[in-house]
Amino acid sequence: MNFLADITTALPETILLVFGLVGLLLGAIGGDRISGLLRVLAAAALAAAAVTAFVQFGRGESVPAFASAVAPDGLYKATLFTLFAKGVTYVLAAFALFMSGGALKSSQMERYEYPLLITFGSFGAGMMLSANDLMTLYVGIETLSLSSYVLAAFRRDSLKSAEAGLKYFVLGALASGLLLYGSALVYGFSGGTSYAAIAAAPSSVGLVFGLVFLICGLSFKASAAPFHIWTPDVYEGAPAPVVAFFSTAPKIAAVGVLAHVMFNAFGTHTASWKMIIAIISALSMLVGAFGALMQNSIKRILAYSSISNVGFALIAIASGVEKGAAAVLVYMTLYVIATLGMFGGVLALRRAGKPIDQVSDLNGLVKSKPGMALGLLILIFSVAGIPPAAGFWGKLQVFTAGIEDGMLWLVLVGALASVVSLGYYLRLVWAMFVKPAKEPLDKTDISVAATVAITTILVFPVLTITIQILLDAAARAAGG
Amino acid sequence: MALIAFYILSTVVVLSALFVVAARNPVHSVLWLILTFFTSAGLLVLIGAEFLAMLLVVVYVGAVAVLFLFVVMMLDIDFVALKQGFQNYLVVGLLVALALLAEIGIVAAAATFGGGATFQPSPGAATNAEALSKVLYTDYLLLFQMSGVVLLVAMMGAIVLTLRSRPSVKRQSIAEQVGRKRKDAVELKDVRPGQGI
């Protein structure tokens, strides 16, 4: 084990970890007064980690690290697929942090631990993506989960926030238990915890049962049905900037991890998981689409929208590594970019200092904030997959992968879910553009406005035209 | 001899684990849990993993179970109200339990464990504490450090969620106490007869 070479391979995570530890010391000395400074520094560290990951991606490095006699394949491996997913994760975490300033200030959450928890959470997300061993995977997932539980309950004086944190924690612990039990079964029946050892093991009943438990645990983290129950409650209770973070960076990391584990560790056992993932995918799309129809709370609608969209990404995973790997990355990247702007923009709207909650609070947004309304319209179109917004390309990729793999029924379910979900997307648009206005909203923070503007321009027209670049990058990532 | 010990210990483990769930009094549940941990430690001793056995006793019996006991005794939970609705969930719960039991049965019936299931308590080392530390601090350094990060995050979380400054609470300030002079505390007044201060 060459320690320096290993650290260099894991440079993006090393940057985050070093910043997290130094930031913790700074925070302990400076207290909550330097929380603004730490927020900027944390966003910079996340950006640096993203740049490092993309540079490694550009160099085409695919190297194992932390290998030894007992773990010859390495505990950590930077493949092109994971580097791509990690880069996007870090960029979105940086943006989610960047736009959270005003919301934190207005709800008395300006504490120096906030940026640090997001940094440690992103570190965990990076580690679980880069894991080449079930043990690294689990420790990474726990780092991300523990940070998420605390972030969900970050507004201590709000009952709803505490409830969200507690619910997330209890259900998350259950999911971790399932994941560990699955890992134990997989280890027992394959004789190894490294992805390569699992892939080399012959298929057996025990291995398949372990695989099922693993999928349950990972689906919980990605909030796919039927393990989605926590999502609407947590999104409703957690503070708005935290929801903007939850729905972007950890989301692409969780879906990426599910894809990575299925494609690599269980790549030789595809027949065992294909149908399970396909059913989870169909359930997620339907639950997400129909569940949101009856909701009036914006946060709950967005939660169901995110469940539904994870279902679409799972179509690509179910299509297998050759056809689906690139589609997962394209779909999730386009989805999280649009989601960051949409969630961030909607959740940052405040009336008399209080975040808005009901769909009716959006009424007449086009009169009071025409720029924001137009941006949100384009972002909503992208999330719904309506051309010419870039989200359409993502959905096209996913559906193509499904059809190429002969899963027409799943694609048809997806198309049905898309049509149904249009119902609530258009309800948001209707409220913003047609309904008469209510009392005026507070002034939008410049960071939120900038984020909405950047994501809107990215979604349409930039990525609509230059989609080929993203497709090529994703194809390259899938190849490595 | 070892086989007899194994059967006795495993019977006690399974039965006491059953009583953890079935006991009406939560304090009894925790006591049954402690018995489960103890007998599991006995099972570990049987396969020669004495270090893990001691760890199980120290960590789970010494810390975790006692903490549970504290929580159960100190929190004012109405356990009768908690148990209400038990019948409503009984059918669903039983179905899930049966499904899990069937799954474990199928797995156990088809058991062909990979890797030969050969357990070596002390591979190439004198004791298994030495064997464990040899891999823990070298080959699995990454995991060891990451576990440290997990604990750090957990600690941060506990502080974030519970530490708050209450201005109304009076605290002792040693520096202020020591630095107090006589003239700050005592004042000499010349009180005239027949008048107050």
Side-chain angles (χ1 to χ4, degrees):
Chain A
M1 178 158 78
N2 181 350
F3 193 67
L4 203 62
D6 291 344
I7 292 289
T8 319
T9 309
L11 196 57
E13 285 72 39
T14 313
I15 292 174
L16 290 183
L17 185 58
V18 169
F19 170 77
L21 296 176
V22 173
L24 198 57
L25 279 180
L26 289 179
I29 297 166
D32 293 338
R33 278 167 296 149
I34 61 162
S35 65
L37 174 72
L38 274 180
R39 200 167 53 241
V40 175
L41 287 179
L46 282 162
V51 169
T52 321
F54 281 129
V55 166
Q56 288 179 337
F57 177 75
R59 283 203 212 124
E61 288 168 10
S62 178
V63 269
F66 298 101
S68 58
V70 288
D73 310 307
L75 297 168
Y76 176 108
K77 190 173 185 186
T79 66
L80 288 179
F81 185 87
T82 57
L83 281 172
F84 185 95
K86 257 162 40 178
V88 179
T89 306
Y90 294 153
V91 170
L92 284 152
F95 265 105
L97 203 52
F98 165 71
M99 69 192 291
S100 64
L104 290 177
K105 214 171 281 174
S106 75
S107 46
Q108 284 93 47
M109 294 198 305
E110 270 227 301
R111 311 187 53 200
Y112 73 89
E113 286 96 344
Y114 183 83
L116 296 177
L117 282 170
I118 291 206
T119 312
F120 279 121
S122 310
F123 164 79
M127 277 322 243
M128 72 184 196
L129 270 170
S130 325
N132 197 27
D133 191 291
L134 289 181
M135 290 189 281
T136 325
L137 172 75
Y138 178 69
V139 188
I141 287 182
E142 278 311 291
T143 316
L144 171 62
S145 303
L146 273 174
S147 318
S148 306
Y149 305 148
V150 180
L151 282 172
F154 206 78
R155 257 189 92 178
R156 298 181 304 190
D157 41 4
S158 143
L159 258 183
K160 281 222 151 174
S161 179
E163 183 199 331
L166 188 65
K167 261 186 189 160
Y168 198 7
F169 176 69
V170 171
L171 291 175
L174 183 68
S176 287
L178 289 179
L179 192 76
L180 274 183
Y181 185 49
S183 307
L185 280 177
V186 168
Y187 174 45
F189 283 89
S190 68
T193 52
S194 83
Y195 289 1
I198 297 167
S203 189
S204 61
V205 180
L207 193 66
V208 174
F209 275 103
L211 168 67
V212 171
F213 281 108
L214 261 182
I215 292 178
C216 294
L218 291 175
S219 309
F220 174 88
K221 303 292 174 194
S223 76
F227 309 100
H228 65 284
I229 316 282
W230 59 277
T231 321
D233 290 342
V234 170
Y235 278 34
E236 193 185 11
V242 174
V243 176
F245 171 69
F246 279 176
S247 55
T248 51
K251 188 71 74 180
I252 184 170
V255 173
V257 146
L258 186 58
H260 189 58
V261 172
M262 289 306 122
F263 293 159
N264 283 290
F266 296 96
T268 48
H269 311 290
T270 311
S272 310
W273 52 260
K274 201 180 184 70
M275 208 49 181
I276 305 173
I277 298 278
I279 289 171
I280 292 179
S281 159
L283 274 178
S284 306
M285 290 186 292
L286 291 176
V287 164
F290 284 99
L293 287 178
M294 292 298 141
Q295 304 293 337
N296 279 321
S297 158
I298 299 175
K299 278 177 160 179
R300 290 187 84 88
I301 290 181
L302 295 181
Y304 279 107
S305 151
S306 112
I307 294 170
S308 170
N309 278 288
V310 166
F312 286 108
L314 290 183
I315 297 183
I317 300 183
S319 324
V321 60
E322 294 90 10
K323 304 176 188 85
V328 176
L329 287 180
V330 173
Y331 186 81
M332 283 315 285
T333 308
L334 291 173
Y335 169 67
V336 286
I337 290 174
T339 306
L340 179 75
M342 181 172 101
F343 279 39
V346 171
L347 297 177
L349 293 176
R350 289 189 294 276
R351 182 167 279 137
K354 278 192 170 169
I356 61 166
D357 182 48
Q358 300 293 307
V359 176
S360 57
D361 289 333
L362 280 176
N363 286 357
L365 189 70
V366 70
K367 292 258 166 47
S368 51
K369 293 179 192 294
M372 175 70 98
L374 185 67
L376 287 178
L377 173 75
I378 292 173
L379 292 168
I380 287 175
F381 272 20
S382 183
V383 171
I386 300 171
F392 168 72
W393 293 112
K395 239 172 206 172
L396 190 67
Q397 286 289 311
V398 163
F399 283 171
T400 315
I403 290 172
E404 274 180 9
D405 199 60
M407 286 188 300
L408 191 63
W409 66 274
L410 192 56
V411 174
L412 286 178
V413 172
L416 172 73
S418 296
V419 174
V420 174
S421 55
L422 269 185
Y424 57 84
Y425 289 131
L426 289 180
R427 200 168 140 223
L428 295 178
V429 174
W430 185 263
M432 287 193 296
F433 282 84
V434 182
K435 291 267 185 74
K438 279 176 120 182
E439 307 101 77
L441 293 154
D442 295 356
K443 210 167 158 289
T444 316
D445 305 313
I446 185 79
S447 56
V448 172
T451 311
V452 172
I454 292 171
T455 47
T456 307
I457 292 170
L458 264 181
V459 162
F460 181 79
V462 175
L463 273 171
T464 316
I465 299 164
T466 59
I467 189 71
Q468 198 56 43
I469 298 173
L470 182 65
L471 291 182
D472 289 344
R476 186 155 169 266
Chain B
M1 184 58 207
L3 202 64
I4 298 171
F6 170 76
Y7 279 118
I8 294 176
L9 285 175
S10 27
T11 315
V12 175
V13 169
V14 174
L15 283 182
S16 55
L18 191 68
F19 282 122
V20 174
V21 193
R24 284 189 169 273
N25 188 330
V27 178
H28 293 174
S29 280
V30 178
L31 293 176
W32 282 115
L33 190 66
I34 292 176
L35 181 63
T36 316
F37 286 147
F38 256 118
T39 31
S40 311
L43 282 176
L44 284 174
V45 171
L46 271 188
I47 56 167
E50 82 274 349
F51 182 71
L52 283 183
M54 292 311 122
L55 220 54
L56 190 72
V57 172
V58 170
V59 175
Y60 279 89
V61 179
V64 177
V66 173
L67 183 76
F68 279 1
L69 211 53
F70 267 121
V71 171
V72 166
M73 285 175 154
M74 284 176 71
L75 289 186
D76 183 26
I77 302 171
D78 187 357
F79 287 100
V80 179
L82 210 62
K83 287 245 160 106
Q84 269 173 6
F86 181 70
Q87 265 88 15
N88 299 349
Y89 298 113
L90 189 64
V91 180
V92 182
L94 269 182
L95 277 180
V96 174
L98 277 179
L100 273 177
L101 197 66
E103 282 175 16
I104 294 171
I106 293 169
V107 173
T112 43
F113 286 93
T118 46
F119 179 78
Q120 278 183 310
S122 47
T127 62
N128 54 42
E130 191 187 337
L132 266 178
S133 49
K134 257 187 182 161
V135 289
L136 192 60
Y137 301 122
T138 56
D139 298 338
Y140 288 137
L141 178 74
L142 176 75
L143 300 176
F144 186 69
Q145 296 289 350
M146 280 175 66
S147 313
V149 176
V150 172
L151 290 179
L152 180 69
V153 172
M155 198 172 72
M156 265 173 78
I159 293 173
V160 168
L161 294 182
T162 53
L163 180 74
R164 51 184 79 212
S165 57
R166 293 200 193 87
S168 58
V169 175
K170 302 242 185 264
R171 285 177 196 281
Q172 185 181 26
S173 165
I174 309 246
E176 212 170 284
Q177 271 182 346
V178 172
R180 205 157 103 133
K181 294 280 182 324
R182 196 189 68 168
K183 67 175 189 317
D184 300 335
V186 188
E187 196 182 345
L188 222 70
K189 280 251 176 183
D190 190 14
V191 184
R192 293 179 181 218
Q195 289 180 358
I197 299 173

